[in-house]
Each structure stands twice: as structure tokens, then as C-alpha cells.
Amino acid sequence: MTTTTTTVTSTAVVPTAHGSRYLQQLCKHWSHNLTVAFSRDQGSVIFPRDARGASWPADGRLLLDAGEDALTCRIEAGSDEQLEALKGAVVRHLDRFAFREAPLHFDWRDGV
């Protein structure tokens, strides 16, 4: 028997002139507990399916891309519930790092 995990996605293009700074701060912050890779312009964070006692169907992944006037955040998850939880975590953490211009505007586009 083969198990297939459906991936659900959502992408937000967040207007900010400080996308690279926030990307690096967020990745450095999460690198203490999670698998993270990043440069000035791109980053990825893996959220294990069993992190903090969770039992998601798959690991979640956040992909970040910093442009001159926006930070693009793409989340891939194994369920709708996991996707919503990861959206909340990303928004809370980025708003914390962007306190001078928070709240940032996240217009999540599911399926993108």
C-alpha cells in the first residue's frame, strides 16, 4: 500500500523595502531549532511534521524570496490545518522583526 501526501500551498507577497533584512533575521532565529538555509535573497525553513508534539501528515516548508520592494513567502504543507498554523507562525515572527513597520500586509493566495 502506498501513502500519498497532498501538498497544499499558499503564497504572500509582502510589501517592504527591508525584505532581505527580515528574511535573514527570521532564518537566523529559526536556525536554532529547525533546518534552515539562506542567503541575502533567498531562504528555506523546514518545519518537521512532529515539531512541538504535532502530528501533521508531512513536513512543512517555508520558502522566502527578498526583492527590492517585497518579501515573497511561500508555504508548502501536508494539510489545510498545518498550512494555517504555519501562516500564523510566519506572520507573528515577521511582524516581530518588522516592528517599526508592523503590521506587515500579508495577502495569502492559497494554491499559489
Side-chain angles (χ1 to χ4, degrees), residues 22-39 42-48 52 62 64 93 96-97:
Y22 301 150
L23 177 156
Q24 292 176 70
Q25 286 178 304
L26 185 63
C27 287
K28 286 176 187 175
H29 173 74
W30 274 334
S31 70
H32 299 289
N33 301 337
L34 302 170
T35 302
V36 175
F38 69 97
S39 66
Q42 294 183 323
S44 67
V45 181
I46 304 297
F47 298 89
R52 297 185 179 223
L62 168 65
L64 301 162
H93 281 80
R96 186 181 321 154
F97 294 123

Side-chain angles (χ1 to χ4, degrees), residues 55-78:
S55 182
W56 302 116
D59 292 348
R61 184 165 72 149
L62 168 65
L63 301 171
L64 301 162
D65 188 16
E68 287 186 28
D69 58 358
L71 176 63
T72 302
C73 305
R74 176 182 166 83
I75 298 173
E76 300 171 352

Side-chain angles (χ1 to χ4, degrees), residues 3-6 49-50 54-60 77-82:
T3 304
T4 303
T5 302
T6 302
R49 65 174 44 135
D50 59 355
S55 182
W56 302 116
D59 292 348
S79 70
D80 291 330
E81 295 81 9
Q82 182 186 26

